[in-house]
Every structure is written in structure tokens, then in C-alpha cells.
Amino acid sequence: MFKLEENKTTMKTEVIAGLTTFFTMVYIIVVNPSILSETGMPFEQVFSATIIAAVVGTLWMGLFANYPIAVAPGMGLNVYFAFSVVGSHGGITYHTAFSAVFVAGLIFLLLSLTKFRQLLIESIPDNLKFGISAGIGLFIAFIGFKNTGIITSHPENLVGLGDLHSPTVLLALFGLAVTLILMALKVNGALFIGMIITSIVAYFTGQLTFDKVFALPSLPEGLMIANPFTAIGDVFQYSLYAVVFSFLLVTIFDTTGTMIGVAEQAGFIKGKSMPRAKEALLSDSLATTVGAMFGTSPTTAYIESTSGVAAGGKTGLTSVTIALLFIIASFFGPLVGSLSGVAAITAPALIIVGSLMMGHIAKINWNEMDEAFPAFLVIICMPLTSSISTGIALGFISLPILKMFMGKWREIHPIVYIFAILFFIQLAFLPH
């Protein structure tokens, strides 16, 4: 099913890759509930919904697309849901807000069944693809540095060097050094082994503690969306068109951009196309729809999947491993929460993978301003705005403008012009 020999990999390598990606992204099952519970939702409801959505999307990705890419509720989209949608659009509740997520998921699903999203991937110019991949790399490396305190906020320069005597910073630097040495020695599964060694040190230095290990998953409020027609009616009744459009636009480009970045890193892109693109793109739209029914914000392909790719993951067996680990994690919420609560354990993987993805900068045509500057905007604006979709938007808007003034407008696919206009509307007039 997974064609291990054809892809020149082994079961052991794929399982290690799955473990690596899982422990790099597992923070979401703690962070997502903590954010969405700000709306008044029970923590246990969101915890279970987060895992259900991750399992549905990641299993589909593994079984039907055969890619080592994980899917789970996206960061940024959950913040938008909790603080910009609930209570801000006519005082709507989280129940009604999930109707908007569900409808966006349905539209997303219909688009994924067509060739639209695959056409989108093929229409994106190569230099933008390289910029997207490099920008995501810079973004996740920045997240790794910032979460551990190696980089901190600065009142004058925005960011600055953190306290190098801090236990968290020292642990992160230790984990980074150990993992880099293992990778330099070409040790298989270096990222995962580095996390294990860092976890052991964290435990013995008192930075990692376990208060409670086991807890049964639950859904205190049952299904959030039980009747699709009611959800569609809520969108019309509360005029949530802009909310649906925002969810749809951001999810399409967050996921498409991330998927391109991971696929480019893994070498899955063949020419201008991505094999089995429809199957892969269906995973997040299906997960978003199912996730909304149980109580979580839209899902996206995870940039942390690149850590599993770097560990050797090449097939859907990596994704199936991740999904199974999410199922197991649903019974060990407190334990997993403890591990993911120590940023220094997972940050080294993010930083190293970020450095690997930055290699795509070398492929950009820096000699042509109309090609180079849009890619530069993508790369620099992703970390500076903390948004993958904003970086992509600015690249999409600037590229057609430069091409038109240089008389090269025919080089751009019509769909790029359409989305340049939609992105301009979103940035100028809609919440983001």
C-alpha cells in the first residue's frame, strides 16, 4: 500500500519519522483547547475534537495520498476564531461560529473534489514556490527560537537576544547542539533521538514534571453541528459571509502553501505538478468539516511535517503512525501536555528543519526584480507577520503588478490575477 521499496525507505524509518513529527506538533492538543476554551467551551470538548480532526485528516493523507504530511487544527485560525469571530460579529456564540467553520469546510471540500486546488498549485510560479518553502522555514525557525526564549521581544528593536543563563534557554541550546551533532554524524532519526535525550535532561533538571498521566477523552457537549442545514441557515441568519470567506481563503492558502513547502522539501514536486494532489488536498477540507462538527477551528497541513521528512519519512506510513499516536495521546492528555509544555524539547527540531528549508533560497532567480522581490516579500513577511497566508498574499499581489509594468503580464496564469485581487480585498477590508 505504501510502496516502501519503491520509495527507498523502510518501516522502521517511517515509524521514526512519524514519532518525530508527532512530538514536534503534539503541542497543538494542549494549545488549541487552551485558546478555544477562552470562548467558554469546555477544555475537554476541544481536546477531543482536536484529536478527532487530526486523526481524520492525517489518516486520509496517509492512506489515500501516501504522503508523510500531518493535518491538525491550525494556529492562527484558532486565534481568529476565538478572538475575532466569537462575540465580535453581532455577539454570536461559539456554537454559531462553528456553523461558519462547517460551511467553509463544505465549500473547501467541494473545491478539493475539483481540479481547482491542483490547478492552483500548478499555476504558482516557481520562484514563489521556492519563496514559500524558504519563508516557512524561516518562520518555524523563528518560532523555535522565540518559544524557548533564545530570542525575546525588545522595546526598540522588536526582538533581541534572550537570557542565556535561563534554564529553558540552556536546555534548548543543549538539545540543539546534541541534535546537530547527531545529524552531522548522519544518525538515522537524529531529530527524534535529540528530543528524547533533551526530555531526559529536562526531567532530571526539574523542567519536566508529571502530575497526572491518564485521562479518558470526552465530548461534554456532544456534536456542535448535528444538522448541516441548520449550520447553513446560521450563516445566512447572522450574515457570516465575510467570516466564511476569511476562513476559506486563509485555509486554502495556509494548507496549499504548507503542502508545497513540505512537498518541495521532500522532493515530491514533479515539474510543476504534485502527484496525487487531489487526494492530499482532500485531507484538510475533510478534517475541517468533521472538526467543526465536534468543536474545533479549521485544520491545515502542518509545517512540522518537515521534521518527519528530514528524519527520513517518505510515505503515508509516516502519517498513519502520527494518526495512531494521536489516538493513543487522547488517553494520555496530561502526560503529552507535560512533554509539549517544555518548548526546549521540540524547538531544536523546528530550528534545524527551518535551516534545511532555507536552502530553497538558492533556487530563486535573484537577477530579475519581478521574480526576486515577490519571493523576498513572502520570505520576510511570514515571520514578521506571524502568518503564512499573509506572506503568500503579499507575494501574490506584488508579482502581477511588477509583471504588468514590465510588459510580462502574459507570463502569469489568470488564476494568479484572480487571487491577487481576492488577497487584496482580504488584506484591505476583511479581518486577518
Side-chain angles (χ1 to χ4, degrees):
M1 174 185 289
F2 301 110
K3 301 178 181 178
L4 300 181
E5 291 185 8
E6 182 179 321
N7 287 285
K8 298 179 182 179
T9 185
T10 65
M11 181 177 293
K12 179 182 177 182
T13 299
E14 296 296 303
V15 170
I16 289 176
L19 285 164
T20 302
T21 297
F22 174 75
F23 280 110
T24 306
M25 67 176 289
V26 71
Y27 66 86
I28 194 62
I29 67 175
V30 176
V31 175
N32 197 51
S34 67
I35 291 173
L36 295 190
S37 61
E38 292 289 328
T39 65
M41 290 184 66
F43 185 95
E44 297 82 2
Q45 177 83 25
V46 192
F47 175 78
S48 298
T50 300
I51 289 178
I52 290 170
V55 170
V56 169
T58 307
L59 265 183
W60 183 280
M61 182 71 75
L63 296 175
F64 296 98
N66 199 26
Y67 283 133
I69 301 174
V71 175
M75 290 296 296
L77 290 167
N78 49 10
V79 174
Y80 173 58
F81 177 95
F83 301 106
S84 297
V85 178
V86 177
S88 298
H89 289 264
I92 66 171
T93 65
Y94 59 82
H95 293 95
T96 305
F98 278 122
S99 294
V101 177
F102 180 78
V103 171
L106 283 180
I107 298 172
F108 201 18
L109 191 60
L110 292 174
L111 290 176
S112 298
L113 288 170
T114 67
K115 293 184 177 180
F116 174 79
R117 288 183 69 186
Q118 186 172 352
L119 177 64
L120 178 61
I121 290 179
E122 295 174 359
S123 68
I124 299 175
D126 288 340
N127 286 289
L128 274 187
K129 288 181 182 177
F130 299 143
I132 289 169
S133 184
I136 291 172
L138 187 60
F139 183 34
I140 64 174
F142 179 73
I143 290 173
F145 280 118
K146 192 172 185 299
N147 285 353
T148 55
I150 296 175
I151 291 177
T152 58
S153 300
H154 191 281
E156 296 177 2
N157 300 324
L158 299 182
V159 294
L161 185 65
D163 180 9
L164 296 182
H165 296 94
S166 164
T168 301
V169 172
L170 289 172
L171 180 63
L173 291 174
F174 168 79
L176 183 59
V178 168
T179 309
L180 281 171
I181 291 170
L182 291 172
M183 290 194 71
L185 295 174
K186 300 187 184 303
V187 175
N188 290 329
L191 290 171
F192 177 66
I193 295 171
M195 282 191 282
I196 293 298
I197 293 173
T198 307
S199 299
I200 293 171
V201 173
Y203 179 77
F204 284 105
T205 56
Q207 296 185 57
L208 177 62
T209 58
F210 304 101
D211 297 324
K212 187 179 179 182
V213 174
F214 179 80
L216 291 173
S218 63
L219 289 166
E221 296 194 7
L223 285 177
M224 289 290 174
I225 305 294
N227 189 331
F229 297 103
T230 301
I232 295 171
D234 285 342
V235 170
F236 286 104
Q237 181 179 347
Y238 294 93
S239 301
L240 299 177
Y241 316 114
V243 176
V244 171
F245 179 72
S246 294
F247 275 136
L248 187 62
L249 202 58
V250 173
T251 305
I252 283 177
F253 281 92
D254 257 4
T255 301
T256 304
T258 301
M259 210 168 286
I260 288 172
V262 177
E264 192 73 47
Q265 175 73 15
F268 296 142
I269 300 292
K270 307 298 181 184
K272 289 184 174 292
S273 64
M274 179 178 169
R276 305 181 302 282
K278 182 185 291 186
E279 292 83 352
L281 296 169
L282 271 170
S283 60
D284 60 323
S285 53
L286 182 64
T288 292
T289 307
V290 173
M293 294 175 67
F294 287 93
T296 187
S297 48
T299 61
T300 182
Y302 257 63
I303 51 180
E304 286 85 351
S305 301
T306 51
S307 63
V309 170
K314 295 180 180 179
T315 74
L317 183 55
T318 294
S319 295
V320 172
T321 301
I322 297 166
L324 292 176
L325 288 169
F326 268 115
I327 294 173
I328 295 171
S330 68
F331 296 95
F332 296 91
L335 173 63
V336 174
S338 297
L339 289 172
S340 61
V342 182
I345 293 174
T346 56
L350 296 179
I351 295 168
I352 292 170
V353 169
S355 73
L356 296 174
M357 295 186 70
M358 284 293 290
H360 292 286
I361 284 182
K363 301 177 183 179
I364 296 172
N365 181 8
W366 293 106
N367 296 320
E368 300 292 336
M369 181 61 69
D370 55 324
E371 296 286 346
F373 191 75
F376 167 76
L377 272 183
V378 172
I379 295 168
I380 197 68
C381 289
M382 281 187 186
L384 292 184
T385 63
S386 296
S387 171
I388 292 171
S389 61
T390 298
I392 295 172
L394 294 173
F396 264 79
I397 293 170
S398 60
L399 182 68
I401 292 175
L402 288 173
K403 289 290 186 182
M404 284 190 292
F405 278 98
M406 294 181 70
K408 300 179 181 179
W409 59 272
R410 291 185 181 87
E411 294 180 5
I412 302 299
H413 196 285
I415 201 170
V416 176
Y417 286 107
I418 294 172
F419 275 92
I421 295 170
L422 292 176
F423 268 129
F424 175 78
I425 294 171
Q426 192 225 1
L427 291 180
F429 304 109
L430 299 177
H432 52 83

